[in-house]
Amino acid sequence: MQLRIEESIIHQFYQNDGQVGLRLAPSALTEDDQLHDLLVELTDVYTSKPAKGYASFIKEGEEGEPGPFPEQLTSWYDGQLDFVEFSQQSAKLLLEELQNYNLLEAGFLLVTRYQHISTEYLLVCFLPVKEGVTINPDLAVDRSSQLDITKVQLAARIDLTEWKTAPESERYISFIKGRAGRKVSDFFLDFLGCTERLNSKAHTQQLVDSVQEYAKQSELENEQRQALSKAAYEYCDDQWKQGDTVKIKDLSEQFAEAYPAEKSFESFSKDFAEQNSRELVDDFPADKSTLRKLVKFQGQGGGVSVGFDHTALGERVHYDAATDTLTINGTPPNLRDQLRRYFGIDS
């Protein structure tokens, strides 16, 4: 990834007698290969997180507390605060939130301003730590603390360029959404003083439903329906990998070239949204996990988990709606080996 670090700093949060403490860095980090590699790895991990939310700062008159972070950010960006002071104020604010939520989180707060292509970003990220074992210079075993980059859950990226040029936008802040049942992202949004505006998961599900219904009403053959869904998946997946949004108009044009129809997909999706009392968004960031529904059937419950590609339906997999029975011809090799060993059948 081609990125240029402008300013970066790390502050430490530690546990002490059941309390969380803060150690502030007195100066910004010197840019070197190690810092650059860390940021590249972190941005790669952040980008690859399948579930992200999109937000903007809470405005006056809206429900919720905007908090001091947006004001601090403005003061720094306008030159009234230097970067170190801004980051220290942010760290103190995060400490207050940790104490308010009674959370004992040990780790490091990374605040980085960087440029990628022509866009300027501010990455605010809480880096968790893990205990590990290493070999010291005396060739003895020693314990050490290491950053656990892959386990990052508290992170937000502010598109500073969009924030300044299009303040009315509702998605110049992206953040990692917490796992089901955990409200870690809510806590981090409170710290930043922003609120989620765009539900990418819901909009992606609406797209999936629209594509499937469009293929059905267009009376396409089964193979054509599968090809249409696959084309939609590949387009959306490419947009997701590039960090770009899904544009209904572009997808509609692709469909029109491959499968000309009386009604365009763009027009159909608008009617479909109205019929189902849904909001239609012309472009939106896709949710990776929901996108898979375009090309894969999967589900679990009652101790059973099943998943297979759309192309397998009617070939290796058959479904009888009358009896609600799924028949699979030929099991995956690893599953077959487990079953044969369980029943004592020689391979």
Side-chain angles (χ1 to χ4, degrees):
M1 176 181 288
Q2 297 297 320
L3 53 84
R4 180 166 62 87
I5 301 174
E6 296 184 347
E7 297 171 294
S8 188
I9 196 168
I10 293 178
H11 304 292
Q12 182 182 16
F13 291 83
Y14 60 89
Q15 294 183 25
N16 183 26
D17 294 331
Q19 299 292 325
V20 59
L22 171 63
R23 186 162 69 95
L24 295 172
S27 59
L29 295 166
T30 301
E31 184 179 355
D32 54 21
D33 291 342
Q34 288 77 15
L35 177 60
H36 187 272
D37 290 345
L38 171 62
L39 185 57
V40 168
E41 180 183 0
L42 184 57
T43 51
D44 285 344
V45 169
Y46 181 85
T47 302
S48 65
K49 291 287 185 179
K52 284 193 283 291
Y54 298 85
S56 64
F57 293 126
I58 298 173
K59 303 171 185 176
E60 289 188 13
E62 291 185 328
E63 183 178 353
E65 292 292 332
F69 182 85
E71 184 177 343
Q72 294 171 359
L73 178 69
T74 300
S75 296
W76 161 66
Y77 199 84
D78 291 344
Q80 299 172 21
L81 286 176
D82 65 28
F83 179 74
V84 173
E85 187 176 3
F86 161 64
S87 71
Q88 290 176 343
Q89 289 187 7
S90 299
K92 292 176 183 177
L93 179 60
L94 180 58
L95 176 64
E96 292 179 8
E97 291 295 329
L98 287 170
Q99 293 171 338
N100 290 339
Y101 279 79
N102 196 28
L103 296 174
L104 296 177
E105 292 283 350
F108 299 89
L109 177 67
L110 171 68
V111 183
T112 299
R113 180 187 194 180
Y114 71 94
Q115 280 196 346
H116 177 54
I117 309 178
S118 59
T119 304
E120 188 175 36
Y121 296 101
L122 182 74
L123 181 65
V124 182
C125 179
F126 189 88
L127 304 176
V129 295
K130 63 178 178 180
E131 293 298 319
V133 178
T134 186
I135 305 299
N136 64 27
D138 297 328
L139 301 183
V141 176
D142 196 7
R143 297 194 65 82
S144 66
S145 295
Q146 299 176 334
L147 295 178
D148 197 0
I149 301 296
T150 59
K151 294 296 192 299
V152 167
Q153 286 293 319
L154 296 173
R157 186 170 67 180
I158 303 172
D159 185 329
L160 295 173
T161 303
E162 184 174 356
W163 170 59
K164 294 306 291 185
T165 59
E168 73 283 355
S169 170
E170 296 189 337
R171 55 192 185 204
Y172 52 75
I173 301 174
S174 64
F175 64 95
I176 297 174
K177 301 201 72 167
R179 294 186 292 272
R182 295 189 63 190
K183 294 297 182 180
V184 291
S185 57
D186 291 348
F187 148 72
F188 210 59
L189 293 187
D190 287 347
F191 154 60
L192 294 173
C194 62
T195 185
E196 184 174 8
R197 307 283 186 180
L198 188 147
N199 190 327
S200 61
K201 190 179 185 70
H203 290 305
T204 305
Q205 181 61 57
Q206 181 176 336
L207 174 68
V208 171
D209 295 342
S210 298
V211 170
Q212 293 176 344
E213 188 63 24
Y214 180 70
K216 178 181 177 181
Q217 293 194 20
S218 297
E219 299 182 349
L220 299 177
E221 298 292 335
N222 188 49
E223 290 184 1
Q224 291 179 316
R225 291 172 61 177
Q226 292 175 354
L228 191 76
S229 293
K230 182 179 179 182
Y233 174 80
E234 290 177 346
Y235 163 75
C236 296
D237 188 49
D238 285 343
Q239 295 297 99
W240 182 86
K241 289 176 180 177
Q242 295 171 23
D244 203 351
T245 58
V246 170
K247 299 174 179 60
I248 298 297
K249 182 178 180 180
D250 291 349
L251 183 58
S252 180
E253 290 175 353
Q254 287 194 18
F255 285 173
E257 291 180 7
Y259 305 98
E262 292 184 8
K263 177 178 285 190
S264 70
F265 176 70
E266 183 179 17
S267 177
F268 174 85
S269 60
K270 290 179 180 178
D271 293 342
F272 187 71
E274 291 179 1
Q275 292 170 6
N276 292 275
S277 301
R278 295 181 179 179
E279 177 189 4
L280 178 69
V281 179
D282 293 330
D283 69 285
F284 57 91
D287 178 75
K288 178 71 171 180
S289 58
T290 307
L291 275 181
R292 297 191 185 100
K293 295 180 180 180
L294 285 167
V295 292
K296 194 176 184 69
F297 294 108
Q298 55 189 13
Q300 60 183 16
V304 176
S305 178
V306 180
F308 55 91
D309 294 341
H310 281 195
T311 53
L313 188 63
E315 299 292 333
R316 290 182 57 192
V317 181
H318 301 272
Y319 178 64
D320 186 335
T323 60
D324 192 25
T325 302
L326 199 66
T327 303
I328 302 174
N329 298 317
T331 55
N334 57 347
L335 176 60
R336 181 175 63 246
D337 291 344
Q338 294 176 58
L339 292 171
R340 293 179 72 88
R341 284 196 299 271
Y342 180 83
F343 288 105
I345 302 173
D346 294 334
S347 300

